[in-house]
Structures are given as structure tokens and as C-alpha cells.
């Protein structure tokens, strides 16, 4: 009898233990854990500092900010870890008014010391990027894109050594005076500075070799002149782990820079707007990066001669699945080199001067031939 009683207690204990363990492992938050009063008041101050005509923050009422919309808390401590304040990027964005007063932000969201994720993109914020953001040392994700910020990016952002994603793109009145602060972003994997004016930025080349952890870099239309320093850089140190590189609509002049030579992991490359009719070697570039699977060469002054089978090494093109050659000078007969690229799934040739029949390319999934010089509908075939 005593053994049976002891066995029963043992089973009850194990049931309670496994139940508690499962409860914790599943990440279910203890209902008694609520956000701190300090963080709740900080969020309410932020709410008071913005106009919210569309009710983005309408759920921010009550005592537990962990239950409010657009907020995520740690399930054990109740600390606010994520703020999802992304605005509407669709047509409604043009009508809404959601912006903050920078001075107010400095005295409120700075209290969220455990914040790891902050997205304030697609809003209409007025003024400078708040300096306090550089004090949020736990941040791993920061998105301030399309937010209307102005002035110079504070160098304090370079203090965010845990940051993995930084998106400052499409703030057209935002400037960078010196890129040296990027050297402090030792964990960064994704950096997007597209459409920021970097023409006066000192040490602009640092972004190409001072963040070895980078996997994605977008410098689309940043007013960069790579010819100023292309020969002085040590290409062996440049972005050894990069997989996605967008340098479109900047300025490369002179011989092809060696910046691509050691990018052995590069899969996506956008060089749209560069002039391959000058000293650039289209063939050398393709041979230099055999890992490429997606290429964008829109508006690069590419002619049929660039696509000659005599010049291209098809063994280096065997991985390319997506090729954008739109808005070039490819005319007349459809380039036979393209038909030999059996790996192609997406081909964009819109805005060229093709006028002959298109050969069968059975492996293609998408083909854009709009705005060419075809005279007969039969020349543009749909394949079965």
C-alpha cells in the first residue's frame, strides 16, 4: 500500500514537472507577467507625440502593453522586445498623417532598453533620425526606410554591434557625411542605403570591406563614384560573404574594378545603368563571378556583340536563372547565346530593338519582349 501511495505521488510530481516544462518550452507567457510601468509610460508618451489619423495605435490602452497591437514582449520578463510601427506602403500612405516630433521620441522610446526589433518604415516622420537609437544596444533589426527623415545620419548608430539588419533606404533628404561609423556594425548581414545621397560622404568605400559579415548590400542610386578609389582598395578584403549586391545607377568609370574578384558567394548582382560600351568588359565580369544566378543589366548600353557566342564562356553562365537585359541596344536577330543558356527561367528583353522571330526556349517561365521592333505577331511565339 505504501509503495502504491509513493508511486502515485511520484507520477503526480512527474506530471506537474512535464506540464510546467512543456508550458515553458512552448513559449506560453505567464499571465502574471506584464510589461513594466516604465515601458508602458514610454509607449504612451510616444503615442501622444504622433498624429494617428488611421488608428494605428488604437489598441494602446490598458495596463499591460504586452497585449497591445504592434508590440511583442519577452514571455518571461515582460520586456518589450519588438515594435512593429510600419506604415501603409500602398495608396493609403499618401493620405495618412503619421509622424513624430523628434524631441518627444528621445525622451520616450529610449526607455525600451531591451528592444531587439524596431520598424518605423513608411511613415511621415519629420526631423532628424533620433540620436537615442544608438543607445538601444540590443537591437538586431532596424528599419527606418521611406520614413521622411532628414539631415545627417547620427554616427551613434555605429554603436549597435548586435544589429543584423539596417534599412535606411528611400529617405531622400537624409545624408551621410562619413561612413566610418559602419565599422562598428560587426554583426550586420543586411544593409540598404538605396537612394541616399553619398556623394559627399567621407570613407564611402568602407562599406565595401569594413563589414565582412554582410550578405546583402544595396547602394542603389547613391551617387557613388567608384572610379575615385577603385584601384586603391584591397579586393581580397571586400565582402567575402556577400550574396546580394545592388550597385545600380551609380558611376563606374575606367577599367573594370577588381571589387568582384573574391565574391565567390555572390548570387544576385544589379549593375543597371552602368555603361558596358566604355572600358567595361561584359565577358570578364561574367567569367569573374561563376556563382551568379540573378543578373540585372538594364540600361547598360549592351549590344548584340556583347552576347556573341564567340566571347561568352557558357560554363560560367550555367547557374544564371534570372537575366534582365532590358533597355539596351540588342537588335535584329535574337541572340543565339541566350538560347544556349538552358538554366534561364526569367528573361527580360523589353525596350530593345529585336525584330526577328524568337526561338523556342522551353525552360523559360517568364519572358518579357515588350517595346521591341517586332513587325509581325508571329515573330513573338507562345511555346507549349
Amino acid at each position: 500500500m505504501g509503495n502504491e501511495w509513493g508511486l502515485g505521488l511520484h507520477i503526480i510530481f512527474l506530471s506537474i514537472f512535464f506540464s510546467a516544462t512543456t508550458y515553458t518550452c512552448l513559449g506560453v507567457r505567464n499571465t502574471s507577467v506584464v510589461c513594466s510601468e516604465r515601458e508602458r509610460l514610454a509607449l504612451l508618451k510616444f503615442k501622444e507625440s504622433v498624429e494617428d489619423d488611421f488608428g494605428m495605435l488604437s489598441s494602446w490602452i490598458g495596463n499591460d502593453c504586452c497585449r497591445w497591437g504592434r508590440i511583442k514582449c519577452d514571455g518571461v520578463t515582460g520586456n518589450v522586445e519588438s515594435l512593429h510601427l510600419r506604415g501603409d506602403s500602398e495608396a493609403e500612405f499618401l493620405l495618412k498623417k503619421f509622424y513624430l516630433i523628434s524631441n518627444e521620441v528621445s525622451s520616450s522610446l529610449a526607455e525600451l532598453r531591451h528592444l531587439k526589433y524596431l520598424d518605423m518604415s513608411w511613415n511621415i516622420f519629420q526631423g532628424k533620425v533620433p540620436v537615442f537609437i544608438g543607445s538601444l544596444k540590443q537591437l538586431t533589426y532596424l528599419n527606418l526606410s521611406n520614413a521622411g527623415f532628414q539631415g545627417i545620419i547620427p554616427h551613434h548608430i555605429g554603436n549597435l554591434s548586435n544589429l543584423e539588419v539596417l534599412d535606411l533606404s528611400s529617405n531622400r533628404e537624409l545624408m551621410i557625411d562619413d561612413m566610418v561609423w559602419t565599422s562598428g556594425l560587426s554583426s550586420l548581414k543586411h544593409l540598404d542605403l538605396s537612394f541616399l545621397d553619398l556623394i559627399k560622404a567621407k570613407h564611402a568605400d568602407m562599406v565595401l570591406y569594413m563589414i565582412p559579415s554582410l550578405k546583402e548590400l544595396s547602394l542603389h542610386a547613391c551617387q557613388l563614384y567608384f572610379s575615385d578609389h577603385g584601384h586603391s582598395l584591397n579586393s581580397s578584403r571586400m565582402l567575402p560573404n556577400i550574396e546580394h549586391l545592388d550597385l545600380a545607377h551609380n558611376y563606374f568609370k575606367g577599367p573594370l574594378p577588381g571589387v568582384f574578384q573574391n565574391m565567390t558567394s555572390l548570387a544576385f548582382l544589379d549593375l543597371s545603368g552602368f555603361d558596358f560600351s566604355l572600358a567595361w568588359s561584359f565577358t570578364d565580369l561574367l567569367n569573374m563571378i561563376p556563382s551568379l544566378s540573378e543578373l540585372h543589366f538594364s540600361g547598360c548600353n549592351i549590344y548584340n556583340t556583347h552576347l556573341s557566342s564567340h566571347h561568352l564562356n557558357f560554363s560560367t553562365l550555367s547557374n544564371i536563372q534570372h537575366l534582365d537585359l532590358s533597355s539596351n541596344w540588342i537588335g535584329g536577330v535574337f541572340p543565339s547565346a541566350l538560347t544556349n543558356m538552358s538554366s534561364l527561367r526569367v528573361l527580360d528583353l523589353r525596350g530593345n530593338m529585336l525584330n526577328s522571330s524568337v526561338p523556342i526556349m522551353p525552360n523559360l517561365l517568364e519572358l518579357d519582349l515588350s517595346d521591341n521592333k517586332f513587325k509581325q505577331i508571329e515573330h513573338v511565339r507562345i511555346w507549349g
Side-chain angles (χ1 to χ4, degrees), residues 91-140:
E92 187 181 1
F93 169 74
L94 300 176
L95 301 175
K96 79 178 184 181
K97 296 180 180 177
F98 182 49
Y99 59 89
L100 60 87
I101 301 173
S102 297
N103 291 336
E104 290 293 332
V105 178
S106 298
S107 61
S108 55
L109 295 187
E111 296 295 326
L112 307 181
R113 299 169 187 170
H114 302 279
L115 203 61
K116 296 181 179 179
Y117 184 105
L118 178 59
D119 187 347
M120 303 173 74
S121 61
W122 286 97
N123 288 293
I124 308 175
F125 294 116
Q126 295 180 338
K128 299 179 179 180
V129 175
V131 174
F132 83 84
I133 288 178
S135 67
L136 300 175
K137 299 294 184 65
Q138 303 303 315
L139 275 182
T140 61

Side-chain angles (χ1 to χ4, degrees), residues 274-282 299-303 305-306 328-329:
F274 291 156
D275 192 347
F276 279 104
S277 68
L278 299 176
W280 282 74
S281 173
F282 182 80
C300 289
N301 281 323
I302 293 174
Y303 293 80
T305 53
H306 290 103
N328 283 292
W329 299 99

Side-chain angles (χ1 to χ4, degrees), residues 198-199 204 222-230 250-253:
L198 302 183
I199 192 170
C222 285
Q223 302 287 332
L224 288 171
Y225 286 84
F226 285 90
S227 61
D228 293 340
H229 44 66
N250 287 290
Y251 305 98
F252 269 53
K253 294 184 179 180

Side-chain angles (χ1 to χ4, degrees), residues 22-29 75:
T22 303
Y23 188 76
T24 302
C25 291
L26 290 176
V28 180
R29 187 174 66 85

Side-chain angles (χ1 to χ4, degrees), residues 128-176:
K128 299 179 179 180
V129 175
V131 174
F132 83 84
I133 288 178
S135 67
L136 300 175
K137 299 294 184 65
Q138 303 303 315
L139 275 182
T140 61
Y141 180 98
L142 177 60
N143 190 344
L144 304 179
S145 64
N146 277 286
F149 286 112
Q150 306 167 8
I152 296 176
I153 295 174
H155 296 183
H156 298 77
I157 291 181
N159 296 332
L160 304 177
S161 59
N162 291 312
L163 204 61
E164 297 181 1
V165 176
L166 175 59
D167 190 343
L168 299 171
S169 63
S170 299
N171 289 287
R172 295 181 183 271
E173 296 187 41
L174 194 60
M175 297 176 292
I176 297 180

